[in-house]
Structure formats: C-alpha cells, structure tokens
C-alpha cells in the first residue's frame, strides 16, 4: 500500500491537520507534544488487555490485583478481604491448597481473570461501567459470584472504573458521582479506630472497635488532625497505665491494650478526648460485632478471656439495658452490630429507642435482600458497605441508593485485609455517603484512604464540603 493510500484510508491527513490547527489556536509552546496528546484524545478508549496477579494484603494473606489496559493507559486495582465471610455475601475464591499460603492462595481467581474475564471484556468501552459489570455477572452465572470469584470480579470492576474516569478526563470521584446520578460531592466524616478488640486484636476485649467521629470539624483536614492528635494522646495514656506493650496495634491500626470491659476502653478514649482542645467536637462510635460472641441466645462478654468464670453472659434485653447506660454515660452516637446477625427482634427494639445510629454489618452483609428485610423490620438505620461483599461497582451504587432511599446512614468501610488501593475514598465522595471507616490514623494501607481524601478536599478547593455535624443527613 502506498503512503498516500494509507493516509487516505485512515483519514490521517485530516486528523493531523485538525491537531495542528488546535496547536496553533492554543499557541502551544511544545506543538509536537500538544499534537501527540490531541491525536491520542481523538481515539475512543477501549479495554485492550486485563492482567491479574496474586499480591499480599495488610495481613500477609494473598489477594487479587489487576492491571486493566486501555489505549489511554494502565489502571490498577486490588481487592480487600475480611477476617471472616458471611453466608449471604459474594464468594471470594481461594485455592484451598494447605501447602501454599495455608490454603489462602488466589491463583484460581487470578486464572479466571487472565483466561476468562479478560477475553470477555477486550474491546469494551471503560466508561460503560454497568455493561462491563453485567458482562462479568453473566459470565459467572451464579447468584454470589462463586464461579469466577467476587475477589476476581471486584478487582476488574474497580480497575475499569478508574479507566472510565481517565477516558472522561475527570477525577475518579466525579466519574463515580456520574455513575450514581449524583451532583453533590461531600467529604465524609472519618470514623477513626482508636481501640481494637474482637477478632482484630489479641487482647481480651470482646467488642471489635472503639472509634471517634470529628463531628465538629469544619474541614476534612481538620478532622484528620483531630483524629491523629487524639490517637497520640490515647497512646500516651495507655503507655502510662499498661506500659509500652499496651500500644501494640490491631489489624486496623487501633491500639490494643489488654483490657476486657466496654467501660475500660470507653474510659480510655474519653480521657484521651479530654486532653485535646476539641472536647464536644468529638463523638464516640463502637463496633460491637456481637455475632462473634453470641452463643445461642446469650452474649458472652468474656469470650476472649481464658480464665472467664462464665458469669458474664447477657440476654438480648440485658444488652439493650447496657447500651442505654453506655449512651447515657459516654458521647456515643453510633453502635454497629449491637446484636447477633439473626437477632432481628432485639435490633428492632433497640433501634426504636432512637438513642443513636444503629449500624448493620453482619446483619446485612451488604446484600440487597438483607437490606430490604432490615428496612422493612426497622432493625437498624444505617448500612456498613463493604465492597468485596457485593462484587461490582454497579451493585455498590445500587445498594447505596437503596439505603439512602430509606433515609439510612451509609458507612463505607475498610476490611481487616486491606491494600494500598484508595478506591473507597473516592467512592465515599462520589456517592456522598457521609461516613467512612478506614481504620486508625496509623498503618499505610489505612492512611492511603485518609490521605486521598485530603487530596480530594484540596482539589475541590472552595467547592469542598465536609459533612461535619450533618453526617447522618448527607
């Protein structure tokens, strides 16, 4: 083929002329670079390759990472994972070979991406998130993504979302807002973990987390300062009372002194707050994770104490009374999973008291059917959203809409097994959830989310809105 025939076939002469004219109009100081970028933008982006690999999460356990290629670049994402999986949530695929990573390898999920998902998505437009996600759902053909693995599907879905934002030349959070049909961008209130317990730490504390909410901050940047300063005050208090070993941290970065009672932990946090300049600007939230210490219809608050006497069992009614007392004695504004995941009656009774935000985690497992049931029974009034329990960005958007239509709070949440992917930070802004749990102001995989939110606030400038005291009405 002659050169002129080639140019004519691909309309290159016209495209090059358009690029040169654009460079002249822009008075570009580097016309070659300008023309190159202009030509590149003129080509619609498609997915050209999807490559997955096995990496390690923050616990040293394997997880899935994906590089999704388009003709605009390479977009990377990884999947978080929890300490346990619920029977209702999407299924992550593990290898099960005890001789390798104690059975936790994800090479099967990686293979599913490289050999099946990649082939199905090549040539697709990355801006069409719902079509990409539906293609993977159709390929899987199971209700809970058990064929390809939610850990495989989610990593690809997030990477595609990032590629879609790049194609539109907008920040990731704006692209997510577009996908959800939202116009308001809101910086969420961070729930900073100060004390870890439950399955997240090796102490005797039954409950999983004690957190603080900087409700009185005017900007997210100020909220981060409040959280970090309070964390370090608490560290000094624990060092004085329990010695340096008491400042060991749990999986989410929270301090883990060897305490066993709710009140002991709450008193430590209350004292740390009192040492700050913020006082009334900081409120407390607790994640009880009561399913972990529910035995039949009773709750064993000494379940982690090897020398327990067996005298600290509480009924559901006892737990309600205890929460009422704690809410009266401490500035508690949110309680997560106050009862077992199947204890709908006590959840409904406690929620009806209106003492605080009542958050469903194990109760809901981020699944639409459970959320629909909880809305109908008024068993809680807020959702913990863990993206790996759902499996695609599109379904995440739908679940958030369901919760917000019910006038619930929405808490975007980390997992105990995290990576340095900061996607949930952009997700919380784009979906205007109003709340985010990303752990303590400690450990790189947790700070990746908070630091990204600082960057977003800076980028938004005067348009940045921090939810502050309206954290429940975002």
């Amino acid at each position: 083929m002659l050169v002129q025939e080639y140019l004519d076939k691909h309309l290159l002469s016209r495209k090059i002329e358009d690029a040169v004219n654009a460079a002249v109009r822009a008075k570009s100081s580097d016309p070659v670079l300008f023309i190159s970028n202009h030509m590149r933008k003129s080509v619609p982006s498609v997915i050209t390759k999807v490559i997955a690999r096995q990496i390690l999460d923050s616990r040293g356990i394997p997880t899935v990472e994906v590089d999704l290629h388009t003709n605009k670049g390479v977009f990377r994402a990884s999947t978080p994972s929890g300490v346990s999986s619920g029977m209702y949530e999407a299924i992550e695929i593990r290898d099960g070979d005890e001789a390798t990573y104690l059975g936790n390898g994800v090479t099967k999920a990686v293979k599913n991406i490289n050999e099946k998902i990649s082939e199905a998505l090549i040539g697709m437009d990355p801006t069409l998130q719902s079509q990409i996600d539906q293609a993977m759902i159709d390929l899987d053909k199971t209700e809970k993504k058990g064929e390809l693995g939610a850990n495989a599907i989610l990593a690809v879905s997030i990477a595609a979302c990032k590629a879609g934002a790049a194609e539109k030349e907008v920040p990731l959070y704006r692209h997510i807002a577009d996908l959800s049909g939202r116009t308001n961008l809101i910086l969420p209130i961070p729930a900073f973990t100060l004390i870890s317990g439950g399955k997240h730490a090796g102490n005797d504390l039954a409950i999983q987390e004690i957190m603080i909410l900087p409700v009185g901050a005017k900007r997210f940047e100020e909220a981060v300062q409040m959280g970090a300063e309070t964390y370090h005050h608490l560290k000094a208090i624990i060092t004085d009372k329990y010695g340096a070993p008491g400042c060991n941290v749990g999986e989410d970065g929270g301090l883990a002194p060897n305490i066993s009672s709710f009140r002991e932990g709450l008193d430590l946090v209350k004292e740390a707050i009192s040492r700050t300049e913020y006082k009334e600007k900081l409120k407390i939230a607790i994640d009880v994770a009561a399913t972990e210490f529910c035995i039949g219809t009773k709750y064993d608050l000494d379940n982690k104490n090897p020398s327990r006497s067996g005298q600290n069992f509480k009924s559901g009614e006892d737990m309600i009374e205890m929460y009422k007392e704690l809410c009266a004695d401490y500035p508690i504004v949110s309680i997560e999973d106050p009862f077992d995941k199947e204890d709908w009656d006590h959840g409904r009774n406690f929620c009806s008291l209106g003492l605080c935000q009542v958050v469903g985690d194990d109760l809901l497992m981020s699944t639409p059917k459970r959320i629909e049931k909880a809305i109908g029974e008024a068993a809680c009034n807020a959702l913990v959203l863990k993206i790996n329990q759902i499996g695609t960005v599109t379904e995440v958007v739908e679940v958030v809409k369901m919760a917000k239509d019910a006038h619930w709070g929405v808490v975007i949440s980390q997992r105990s097994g995290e990576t340095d992917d900061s996607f949930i930070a952009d997700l919380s802004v784009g979906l205007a959830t109003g709340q985010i749990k990303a752990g303590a102001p400690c450990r790189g995989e947790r700070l990746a989310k908070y630091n990204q939110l600082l960057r977003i606030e800076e980028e938004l400038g005067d348009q940045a809105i921090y939810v502050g005291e309206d954290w429940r009405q975002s």
Side-chain angles (χ1 to χ4, degrees):
M1 181 182 290
L2 297 175
V3 172
Q4 190 59 50
E5 291 177 346
Y6 185 83
L7 292 174
D8 292 342
K9 179 181 179 181
H10 296 285
L11 304 176
L12 289 179
S13 296
R14 183 185 303 172
K15 292 175 181 177
I16 292 170
E17 184 179 354
D18 289 343
V20 171
N21 288 335
V24 171
R25 288 194 300 271
K27 299 179 180 179
S28 172
S29 60
D30 189 339
V32 174
L33 179 61
F34 184 95
I35 292 168
S36 173
N37 288 335
H38 185 89
M39 294 287 288
R40 188 178 183 186
K41 291 176 183 178
S42 69
V43 180
S45 183
V46 296
I47 297 171
T48 58
K49 183 168 60 175
V50 184
I51 299 293
R53 65 185 62 85
Q54 178 174 268
I55 63 169
L56 298 184
D57 68 19
S58 59
R59 304 165 300 176
I61 295 176
T63 191
V64 178
E65 181 178 80
V66 164
D67 286 346
L68 185 143
H69 297 243
T70 73
N71 47 347
K72 297 292 175 68
V74 181
F75 305 91
R76 178 169 292 169
S78 52
T79 302
S81 181
V83 71
S84 59
S85 297
M87 62 185 293
Y88 301 104
E89 66 186 73
I91 297 169
E92 62 177 21
I93 289 181
R94 299 279 177 181
D95 296 343
D97 178 6
E98 292 294 331
T100 306
Y101 286 114
L102 308 179
N104 290 314
V106 292
T107 60
K108 291 180 181 178
V110 167
K111 185 177 181 181
N112 285 339
I113 294 172
N114 292 337
E115 296 184 0
K116 297 178 181 179
I117 293 176
S118 178
E119 182 179 348
L121 300 189
I122 287 175
M124 293 190 72
D125 181 345
T127 65
L128 302 179
Q129 185 72 43
S130 62
Q131 292 184 22
I132 291 169
D133 291 340
Q134 191 60 51
M136 291 189 285
I137 291 170
D138 292 344
L139 187 65
D140 181 271
K141 295 186 177 67
T142 67
E143 182 181 359
K144 297 192 289 186
K145 304 175 177 66
E147 180 66 26
L148 299 175
N151 46 346
I153 291 172
L154 179 62
V156 177
S157 182
I158 294 173
C161 190
K162 294 177 180 180
E167 170 63 14
K168 290 164 58 177
E169 298 186 337
V170 298
L172 179 56
Y173 57 86
R174 287 196 183 276
H175 177 49
I176 293 169
D178 290 344
L179 294 175
S180 67
R182 301 193 68 90
T183 57
N184 58 328
L185 300 171
I186 297 176
L187 276 297
I189 192 166
F192 291 111
T193 303
L194 292 196
I195 292 181
S196 294
K199 284 192 172 182
H200 287 182
N203 54 16
D204 291 341
L205 185 63
I207 64 173
Q208 194 154 278
E209 293 172 276
I210 302 177
M211 299 162 280
I212 55 169
L213 304 179
V215 299
K218 300 302 181 186
R219 292 174 53 80
F220 186 82
E221 182 180 21
E222 184 185 3
V224 169
Q225 180 180 338
M226 289 181 178
E229 290 179 3
T230 309
Y231 183 86
H232 287 288
H233 280 302
L234 178 61
K235 193 172 183 179
I237 292 167
I238 290 173
T239 300
D240 290 342
K241 292 188 176 183
Y242 303 94
C247 291
N248 291 335
V249 300
E251 289 182 337
D252 52 5
L255 299 166
N258 195 24
I259 57 178
S260 59
S261 76
F262 287 35
R263 286 187 176 272
E264 194 173 3
L266 289 165
D267 285 339
L268 288 170
V269 172
K270 190 174 180 180
E271 183 178 349
I273 291 173
S274 72
R275 293 192 182 187
T276 71
E277 299 177 357
Y278 312 118
K279 308 297 190 299
E280 300 301 319
K281 295 181 179 181
L282 294 169
K283 302 298 181 183
I284 294 176
I286 58 175
D287 177 3
V288 180
T291 297
E292 302 299 337
F293 54 87
C294 182
I295 301 174
T297 61
K298 299 286 186 178
Y299 296 89
D300 181 8
L301 301 187
D302 281 340
N303 74 313
K304 293 178 68 180
N305 186 348
S307 60
R308 61 183 180 273
S309 63
Q311 301 300 309
N312 204 11
F313 280 82
K314 291 185 179 293
S315 66
E317 290 77 11
D318 294 333
M319 295 290 282
I320 289 177
E321 290 304 312
M322 180 185 70
Y323 295 138
K324 288 166 65 176
E325 292 173 3
L326 293 177
C327 287
D329 296 342
Y330 303 92
I332 295 173
V333 295
S334 181
I335 299 180
E336 181 179 331
D337 274 351
F339 305 97
D340 178 68
K341 66 179 182 295
E342 301 300 342
D343 193 348
W344 295 87
D345 290 340
H346 289 109
R348 180 172 56 250
N349 293 342
F350 179 61
C351 191
S352 68
L353 299 176
L355 296 176
C356 63
Q357 174 178 259
V358 181
V359 188
D361 179 9
D362 292 335
L363 179 74
L364 306 174
M365 298 179 200
S366 301
T367 58
K369 289 182 181 179
R370 300 281 289 189
I371 295 168
E372 186 177 8
K373 180 178 179 180
I375 291 170
E377 297 201 14
C380 60
N381 55 28
L383 162 70
V384 162
L385 179 63
K386 295 175 175 176
I387 57 177
N388 72 303
Q389 292 181 331
I390 303 176
T392 67
V393 172
T394 299
E395 290 167 294
V396 166
V397 171
E398 292 169 353
V399 163
V400 169
K401 184 180 187 304
M402 181 186 296
K404 285 186 169 289
D405 285 348
H407 306 291
W408 276 17
V410 179
V411 187
I412 297 286
S413 179
Q414 60 168 7
R415 301 309 314 265
S416 57
E418 268 296 339
T419 72
D420 58 1
D421 194 326
S422 62
F423 178 74
I424 64 169
D426 287 81
L427 188 69
S428 68
V429 175
L431 298 183
T433 61
Q435 302 175 63
I436 187 170
K437 278 178 62 176
C442 168
R443 296 184 54 146
E445 75 280 357
R446 315 293 157 178
L447 293 172
K449 285 69 169 172
Y450 296 133
N451 288 340
Q452 175 64 2
L453 286 164
L454 289 172
R455 298 182 196 105
I456 292 172
E457 183 173 61
E458 179 184 65
E459 185 174 277
L460 289 173
D462 293 340
Q463 295 181 325
I465 300 173
Y466 172 65
V467 69
E469 293 180 349
D470 295 325
W471 57 282
R472 282 279 294 154
Q473 285 78 44
S474 61

